[in-house]
């Protein structure tokens, strides 16, 4: 079952958005294995969510659009395609397992599976966990870890999700703190751990405990070793968890963030612009949560504002123009929140309907789901009750507007998934 707040008795935690670019689980692969997405900038803050580019930052005036390349539709054959991909995971060839996992990621992101598989979803989770345990391929581990995140998004409202969370969490924690582990694998494991906790954790106390674990066991060591991949994911995961703590106990939130304040200040001085933006947005998130009913101020707020103002006016000599633009836009929004209590507003056009995300909690949570689902986000907003509960939105799939504007599930025709679909069609025709 989804996370419950034992104090208030409320259902799923509500809200979401994003800080900036994060390493993708498919970052080490050829573009032939993934849907072709194209990045486009607009002056508007509105974003059309027909597709997402992982290189985009919601801190700036970005929009994501599908490219005009030819695509094919997955259609209603996703269960047979998933079965084919699962069968291919039994091969001894790591490259074949990697391709199968990539196909599974595309299917799980672009299709809501929670109403399907007829009880076989536990077999899917176990297959992903086996691939995570593989030591022969970091790419296989990354993709399987991404798959675990997608599994909780698809099946997180089912009873088994909460019961499986404990063992999955233990497995992921071991990977996250492994100093000899690959940075990208550790970052992906941390992302999966945060998403699983958000969806299947018992209540805000679970989130608070994990937030402290992330701060002391992951974030501080990553900043010390200048591991920007892990540091970026740690800040992002912390932000997601803090949205849960804020819903449950504001004093606990204040205590946790007071302990992590210096680490966030170090994050503002990191070499990576993405890390700086993620750290800065956590300041805005906490300040807006604690200042909702009073004039809240951090103990070292003057120092923080001075640091943010320096970042806002930083010269482009050290950074590229795009990085400077992203940093200035993000920091400006954070400063507006801390100084004037003004939060940014993001608008997404989902199936012809404008959905607004006008506070930092919704923005941080949206970012977490965007990192996991990518271009499949509109599909899950329309079909997945989990996202609808988190963001308090509903879609009437029987309406004319929905029928006219529903997102097409598409993949690149040269991708592994497209080839699997073609083989499956041939197999069905041969069996007639």
């Amino acid at each position: 079952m989804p996370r419950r707040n034992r104090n208030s008795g409320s259902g799923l935690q509500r809200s979401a958005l994003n800080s900036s670019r994060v390493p993708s689980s498919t970052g080490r692969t050829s573009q032939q294995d993934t849907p072709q997405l194209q990045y486009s900038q607009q002056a508007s803050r509105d974003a059309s969510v027909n597709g997402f580019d992982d290189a985009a930052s919601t801190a700036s005036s970005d929009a994501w659009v599908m490219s005009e390349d030819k695509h094919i539709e997955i259609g209603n054959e996703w269960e047979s395609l998933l079965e084919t991909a699962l069968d291919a995971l039994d091969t001894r060839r790591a490259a074949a397992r990697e391709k199968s996992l990539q196909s599974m990621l595309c299917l799980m992101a672009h299709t809501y599976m929670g109403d399907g598989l007829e009880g076989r979803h536990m077999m899917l989770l176990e297959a992903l966990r086996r691939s995570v345990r593989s030591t022969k391929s970091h790419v296989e581990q990354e993709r399987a870890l991404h798959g675990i995140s997608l599994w909780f998004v698809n099946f997180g409202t089912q009873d088994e999700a909460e019961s499986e969370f404990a063992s999955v969490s233990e497995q992921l924690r071991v990977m996250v703190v492994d100093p000899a582990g690959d940075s990208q694998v550790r970052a992906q494991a941390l992302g999966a751990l945060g998403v699983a906790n958000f969806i299947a954790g018992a209540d805000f106390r679970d989130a608070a405990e994990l937030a402290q674990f992330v701060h002391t066991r992951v974030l501080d060591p990553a900043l010390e070793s200048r591991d920007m991949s892990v540091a970026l994911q740690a800040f992002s995961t912390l932000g997601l968890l803090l949205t849960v703590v804020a819903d449950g106990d504001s004093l606990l939130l204040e205590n946790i963030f007071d302990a992590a304040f210096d680490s966030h200040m170090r994050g503002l001085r990191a070499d990576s612009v993405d890390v700086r933006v993620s750290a800065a947005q956590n300041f805005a998130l906490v300040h807006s949560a604690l200042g909702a009913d009073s004039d809240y101020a951090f103990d070292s707020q003057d120092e923080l504002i001075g640091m943010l103002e320096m970042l806002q006016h930083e010269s482009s000599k050290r950074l590229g123009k795009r990085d400077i633009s992203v940093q200035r836009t993000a920091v400006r929004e954070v400063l507006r929140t801390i100084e004037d209590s003004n939060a940014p507003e993001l608008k997404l056009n989902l199936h012809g309907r404008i959905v607004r995300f006008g506070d930092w909690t919704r923005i941080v949570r949206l970012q977490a789901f965007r990192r996991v689902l990518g271009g499949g986000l509109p599909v899950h907003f329309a079909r997945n009750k989990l996202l609808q509960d988190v963001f308090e939105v509903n879609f009437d799939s029987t309406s004319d507007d929905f029928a006219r504007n529903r997102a097409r599930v598409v993949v690149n025709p040269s991708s592994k998934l497209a080839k699997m679909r073609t083989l499956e069609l041939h197999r069905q025709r041969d069996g007639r």
Side-chain angles (χ1 to χ4, degrees):
M1 294 294 292
R3 176 192 303 280
R4 302 286 178 183
N5 185 323
R6 290 172 182 159
N7 278 3
S8 65
S10 64
L12 268 175
Q13 310 302 321
R14 310 183 175 5
S15 302
L17 195 174
N18 156 18
S19 73
S20 66
R21 302 180 290 277
V22 292
S24 168
S25 65
T26 60
R28 302 179 181 185
T29 68
S30 164
Q31 291 184 351
Q32 290 182 346
D33 289 336
T34 60
Q36 298 299 298
L37 303 181
Q38 175 180 323
Y39 173 68
S40 171
Q41 283 193 329
Q42 293 181 351
S44 166
R45 283 298 305 255
D46 297 0
S48 175
V49 202
N50 291 324
F52 282 109
D53 183 340
D54 284 340
S57 165
T58 56
S60 59
S61 302
D62 297 335
W64 300 269
V65 297
M66 295 296 292
S67 71
E68 296 179 356
D69 297 339
K70 291 183 179 180
H71 295 84
I72 63 167
E73 296 189 25
I74 294 175
N76 297 319
E77 304 159 9
W78 65 267
E79 288 199 52
S80 60
L81 291 171
L82 185 64
E83 291 286 353
T84 302
L86 277 170
D87 290 343
L89 282 183
D90 293 332
T91 182
R92 293 185 177 183
R93 294 176 55 245
R97 295 196 302 272
E98 292 168 7
K99 291 181 179 179
S100 295
L101 283 166
Q102 181 60 29
S103 298
M104 291 167 63
L105 294 183
C106 187
L107 286 167
M108 295 173 75
H110 289 80
T111 309
Y112 173 55
M113 301 182 176
D115 297 329
L117 291 187
E118 297 179 352
R120 291 170 293 166
H121 57 288
M122 297 307 301
M123 179 179 67
L124 172 59
L125 178 61
E126 183 52 40
L128 293 168
R129 295 184 67 181
R130 281 199 306 271
S131 284
V132 167
R133 290 190 288 268
S134 171
T135 58
K136 297 182 179 180
S137 167
H138 290 155
V139 173
E140 179 180 0
Q141 287 182 304
E142 283 184 64
R143 293 180 178 178
L145 288 163
H146 190 174
I148 288 176
S149 296
L150 285 164
W151 188 90
F152 277 96
V153 171
N154 276 280
F155 304 105
T157 59
Q158 301 192 16
D159 292 340
E160 296 90 343
E162 187 173 346
S163 61
E164 288 297 318
F165 170 66
S167 60
V168 171
S169 176
E170 182 178 356
Q171 179 183 10
L172 297 179
R173 287 188 187 223
V174 171
M175 298 185 71
V176 165
V177 298
D178 181 7
D182 177 78
S183 290
Q184 300 293 336
V185 171
R186 293 177 62 209
Q188 196 66 242
L190 181 56
L193 182 60
V195 169
N197 183 285
F198 179 82
I199 295 172
D203 66 5
F204 69 89
R205 298 176 187 86
D206 272 1
E209 185 277 327
L210 181 56
Q212 292 167 323
F213 170 86
V214 173
H215 167 218
T216 58
R217 300 290 304 279
V218 185
L219 177 58
D220 282 348
L223 291 172
E224 188 67 29
S225 63
R226 296 189 175 184
D227 188 334
M228 293 297 101
S229 295
V230 175
L232 175 59
Q233 187 60 64
F235 279 122
S236 300
T237 299
L238 259 178
L240 178 63
L241 296 171
L242 291 178
T243 68
V244 179
V245 180
D247 282 351
D249 188 331
S250 59
L251 180 59
L252 181 57
L253 170 67
E254 185 173 0
N255 291 336
I256 290 174
F257 198 75
D258 281 348
F261 187 93
D262 289 342
S263 299
H264 280 74
M265 289 295 290
R266 291 174 64 191
L268 295 179
R269 296 188 289 269
D271 295 334
S272 166
V273 168
D274 298 330
V275 171
R276 297 179 193 177
V277 169
S278 190
Q281 290 187 336
N282 282 356
F283 281 114
L285 168 70
V286 173
H287 192 279
S288 61
L290 295 177
D293 301 318
S294 63
D295 294 330
Y296 176 80
F298 295 115
D299 289 340
S300 302
Q301 184 151 308
D302 290 342
E303 178 187 357
L304 169 61
I305 290 176
M307 184 66 182
L308 291 171
E309 288 177 342
M310 185 184 72
L311 291 175
Q312 187 178 9
H313 299 100
E314 185 173 13
S315 169
S316 60
K317 293 180 181 179
R318 291 181 57 250
L319 301 171
K321 290 183 179 180
R322 187 176 185 278
D323 283 341
I324 281 291
S325 176
V326 168
Q327 179 172 294
R328 286 177 177 172
T329 303
V331 170
R332 181 169 61 249
E333 292 173 344
V334 172
L335 280 170
R336 286 174 179 169
T337 297
I338 295 175
E339 295 181 317
D340 304 320
S341 299
N342 291 329
E345 182 178 72
L346 181 71
K347 302 175 186 177
L348 299 185
N349 186 346
L350 297 166
H351 306 295
R353 174 180 172 182
I354 299 298
V355 180
R356 288 176 169 82
F357 303 84
D359 62 75
W360 281 106
T361 295
R362 291 172 66 83
I363 288 171
V364 167
R365 290 176 178 177
L366 177 61
Q367 164 58 16
F369 282 101
R370 185 177 84 82
R371 283 194 299 269
V372 175
L373 292 168
L377 187 65
V379 175
H380 284 264
F381 259 108
R383 306 290 185 187
N384 192 335
K385 189 66 165 56
L386 170 68
L387 267 70
Q388 293 175 7
D389 284 347
V390 167
F391 296 103
E392 298 179 287
V393 297
N394 290 298
F395 287 89
D396 182 5
S397 60
T398 64
S399 69
D400 292 339
D401 286 343
F402 183 88
R404 283 195 299 267
N405 295 290
R406 68 182 183 271
R408 293 171 61 234
V409 181
V410 295
V411 295
N412 188 289
S414 63
S415 69
K416 178 68 175 178
L417 186 58
K419 295 173 183 176
M420 287 176 57
R421 177 182 181 275
T422 301
L423 290 174
E424 181 66 17
L425 288 174
H426 288 328
R427 184 183 68 78
Q428 292 175 1
R429 289 177 185 137
D430 291 344
R432 292 173 184 171

